[in-house]
Coordinates of all heavy atoms in Angstrom, one line a residue:
H286 N -13.8 196.6 -71.3 CA -13.7 197.9 -72.1 C -12.4 198.6 -71.9 O -11.8 199.2 -72.8 CB -14.9 198.8 -71.7 CG -16.2 198.2 -72.1 ND1 -17.3 199.0 -72.4 CD2 -16.6 196.9 -72.2 CE1 -18.3 198.3 -72.7 NE2 -18.0 197.0 -72.6
F287 N -11.9 198.6 -70.6 CA -10.6 199.2 -70.3 C -9.5 198.6 -71.1 O -8.6 199.2 -71.6 CB -10.4 199.0 -68.8 CG -11.2 199.9 -67.9 CD1 -12.5 199.8 -67.7 CD2 -10.5 200.9 -67.2 CE1 -13.2 200.6 -66.9 CE2 -11.2 201.8 -66.3 CZ -12.6 201.6 -66.2
W288 N -9.5 197.2 -71.1 CA -8.4 196.5 -71.7 C -8.4 196.6 -73.3 O -7.3 196.8 -73.9 CB -8.4 195.0 -71.3 CG -8.7 194.8 -69.9 CD1 -9.4 193.8 -69.3 CD2 -8.2 195.5 -68.7 NE1 -9.5 193.9 -67.9 CE2 -8.7 194.9 -67.6 CE3 -7.3 196.6 -68.6 CZ2 -8.4 195.4 -66.3 CZ3 -7.1 197.1 -67.3 CH2 -7.6 196.5 -66.2
T289 N -9.6 196.6 -73.8 CA -9.6 196.8 -75.3 C -9.3 198.2 -75.7 O -8.6 198.4 -76.7 CB -11.0 196.4 -75.9 OG1 -12.0 197.2 -75.2 CG2 -11.3 195.0 -75.7
Y290 N -9.7 199.2 -75.0 CA -9.3 200.6 -75.2 C -7.8 200.7 -75.1 O -7.1 201.4 -76.0 CB -9.9 201.5 -74.2 CG -11.3 202.0 -74.6 CD1 -12.2 201.2 -75.2 CD2 -11.7 203.3 -74.3 CE1 -13.5 201.6 -75.5 CE2 -13.0 203.8 -74.6 CZ -13.9 202.9 -75.2 OH -15.1 203.4 -75.5
K291 N -7.2 200.2 -74.1 CA -5.7 200.2 -73.9 C -5.0 199.6 -75.0 O -4.0 200.1 -75.4 CB -5.3 199.5 -72.6 CG -5.6 200.2 -71.3 CD -4.5 201.2 -70.9 CE -4.6 201.7 -69.6 NZ -3.5 202.7 -69.2
A292 N -5.6 198.5 -75.6 CA -4.9 197.9 -76.7 C -5.0 198.5 -78.0 O -4.0 198.6 -78.8 CB -5.5 196.4 -76.8
F293 N -6.2 199.1 -78.3 CA -6.4 199.6 -79.7 C -6.4 201.2 -79.8 O -6.3 201.7 -80.9 CB -7.7 199.0 -80.3 CG -7.7 197.5 -80.4 CD1 -8.4 196.8 -79.6 CD2 -6.8 196.9 -81.3 CE1 -8.4 195.3 -79.7 CE2 -6.8 195.6 -81.4 CZ -7.5 194.7 -80.6
L294 N -6.7 201.8 -78.7 CA -6.8 203.3 -78.7 C -5.5 204.0 -79.1 O -5.6 205.0 -79.9 CB -7.3 203.9 -77.4 CG -7.7 205.4 -77.4 CD1 -8.6 205.7 -78.5 CD2 -8.3 205.7 -76.0
P295 N -4.3 203.5 -78.7 CA -3.1 204.2 -79.1 C -2.9 204.4 -80.6 O -2.5 205.5 -81.0 CB -2.0 203.3 -78.5 CG -2.6 202.7 -77.3 CD -4.0 202.4 -77.8
A296 N -3.3 203.4 -81.4 CA -3.1 203.6 -82.9 C -4.1 204.6 -83.4 O -3.8 205.4 -84.3 CB -3.3 202.2 -83.5
M297 N -5.3 204.6 -82.8 CA -6.3 205.6 -83.2 C -5.8 207.0 -82.9 O -6.0 208.0 -83.7 CB -7.6 205.4 -82.5 CG -8.3 204.1 -82.9 SD -9.9 203.9 -82.1 CE -10.3 202.2 -82.4
I298 N -5.2 207.2 -81.7 CA -4.7 208.5 -81.3 C -3.6 209.0 -82.2 O -3.5 210.1 -82.6 CB -4.2 208.5 -79.8 CG1 -5.4 208.3 -78.9 CG2 -3.5 209.7 -79.5 CD1 -5.1 208.1 -77.4
A299 N -2.7 208.0 -82.5 CA -1.6 208.3 -83.4 C -2.0 208.8 -84.8 O -1.4 209.7 -85.4 CB -0.7 207.1 -83.5
N300 N -3.1 208.2 -85.3 CA -3.7 208.6 -86.6 C -4.8 209.6 -86.6 O -5.2 210.1 -87.6 CB -4.2 207.3 -87.3 CG -3.2 206.3 -87.5 OD1 -2.0 206.6 -87.8 ND2 -3.6 205.0 -87.4
N301 N -5.2 210.0 -85.3 CA -6.4 210.8 -85.1 C -7.5 210.4 -86.0 O -8.2 211.1 -86.7 CB -6.0 212.3 -85.4 CG -7.1 213.2 -84.9 OD1 -7.9 212.9 -84.0 ND2 -7.2 214.4 -85.6

Side-chain angles (χ1 to χ4, degrees):
H286 295 208
F287 284 69
W288 316 141
T289 54
Y290 273 39
K291 283 276 191 179
F293 298 111
L294 187 54
M297 296 185 190
I298 292 175
N300 299 322
N301 193 25

